[in-house]
Amino acid sequence: MINNFISYLRNILNYKWYRPGMFAWIVQRLTGLGLVLFIAMHLSSLRKITLSPEAFNHLMETYRSPLFKLAEIGLLAGVIFHAFNGARITTMDLGLASKKQKRFFWMFFGAALLAFAAGVLPIVLEVFK
Amino acid sequence: MTNPVLWLVQRISGAILAVVLVIHIWVMHFSTESGKIDFNTAMQRLSQPYWKWLYGIFLFFVLLHGMAGFRLFLFDYGFSKKKRSLISALIILLGAALLYIGLKILFFVS
């Protein structure tokens, strides 16, 4: 069973994982999985608000520690890639730009980078206050 | 393996989330005066009914999109029909559990 899984992973990585289409396919699933895990963690830790004010405030304090800020930047990157790639997939599902897929990918990737820069700026500025 | 309704749900919930998520990040990060959220701010928000209901709906769409996507991600491996049914059932359970936790957080005040 493990061998099947390893050969499954090998098959995926064998096919041009560095090219836009395959790369987007892989990273969409990785970020999606990461986001599902994040949601589970986010909900289970926010439950602390039902316990006591101290527990919740302590949680908010840990959210401001450097490690969490770094993780937050990673989260932002993951969400932005997943969202923009999803938009790209949906436009292609609707039959638009099917002849210009690679160009489309780079358009969306560029827009995603802009959005990421816009989002990460406040976080970084907050650190250097 | 997948079905057309779920495909549509995935796209529509994704589009909704793209908008609502921006609002969520804005509210959580940029709209508090001191920039710090603490117990009091959170409780203040939770005491407003519209907040609870909006976030409940938001959570519902998040879980729809996430669980459907998670299911597709697992199905890419290529499981047999029986295993796929089992996986679908487990994912529905996971979604229900997460929704329960989320709604409990939102509505525990009242």
Side-chain angles (χ1 to χ4, degrees), chain B residues 25-76:
Chain B
I25 294 178
W26 174 266
V27 165
M28 286 299 141
H29 274 268
F30 302 131
S31 76
T32 43
E33 295 77 27
S34 65
K36 295 194 190 299
I37 299 181
D38 61 345
F39 185 77
N40 295 324
T41 353
M43 289 308 275
Q44 210 177 6
R45 287 174 178 167
L46 282 183
S47 61
Q48 298 164 305
Y50 80 89
W51 180 275
K52 288 189 277 202
W53 284 99
L54 279 179
Y55 262 80
I57 296 175
F58 172 45
L59 179 68
F60 177 66
F61 277 108
V62 166
L63 291 176
L64 261 188
H65 187 86
M67 293 302 122
F70 190 35
R71 175 178 174 270
L72 285 183
F73 172 51
L74 293 176
F75 280 15
D76 282 337

Side-chain angles (χ1 to χ4, degrees), chain A residues 74-115:
Chain A
L75 176 69
L76 181 70
V79 167
I80 285 188
F81 184 93
H82 192 89
F84 277 80
N85 196 33
R88 180 187 71 98
I89 293 174
T90 309
T91 52
M92 297 200 317
D93 280 343
L94 293 172
L96 308 165
S98 50
K99 297 209 174 119
K100 309 167 189 166
Q101 287 184 29
K102 275 192 188 160
R103 196 192 310 181
F104 228 59
F105 173 85
W106 290 114
M107 263 172 54
F108 272 99
F109 195 66
L113 276 180
L114 285 176

Side-chain angles (χ1 to χ4, degrees), chain A residues 4-5 8 25 29 33 36 39-40 43 46-47 49-50 53 56-57 60 64 72 79 89-90 93 122, chain B residues 7 11 21 29-30 36-39 42-43 46 59 62 65-67 70 73 76-77 98 101-102 105 108:
Chain A
N4 277 341
F5 183 64
Y8 168 66
W25 188 89
R29 274 143 181 80
L33 180 69
V36 167
I39 292 285
L43 285 179
L46 281 181
R47 280 183 69 214
I49 197 176
T50 66
F56 188 71
N57 283 330
M60 290 295 121
R64 283 178 218 123
E72 196 173 43
V79 167
I89 293 174
T90 309
D93 280 343
Chain B
W7 179 89
R11 268 59 176 173
L21 206 64
H29 274 268
F30 302 131
K36 295 194 190 299
I37 299 181
D38 61 345
F39 185 77
M43 289 308 275
L46 282 183
L59 179 68
V62 166
H65 187 86
M67 293 302 122
F70 190 35
F73 172 51
D76 282 337
Y77 184 65
L98 288 174
I101 294 178
I105 296 174
F108 84 101

Side-chain angles (χ1 to χ4, degrees), chain A residues 18-40:
Chain A
Y18 44 84
R19 300 299 219 133
M22 193 65 185
F23 182 80
W25 188 89
I26 293 176
V27 178
Q28 184 78 342
R29 274 143 181 80
L30 284 181
T31 50
L33 180 69
L35 284 168
V36 167
L37 292 175
F38 165 74
I39 292 285

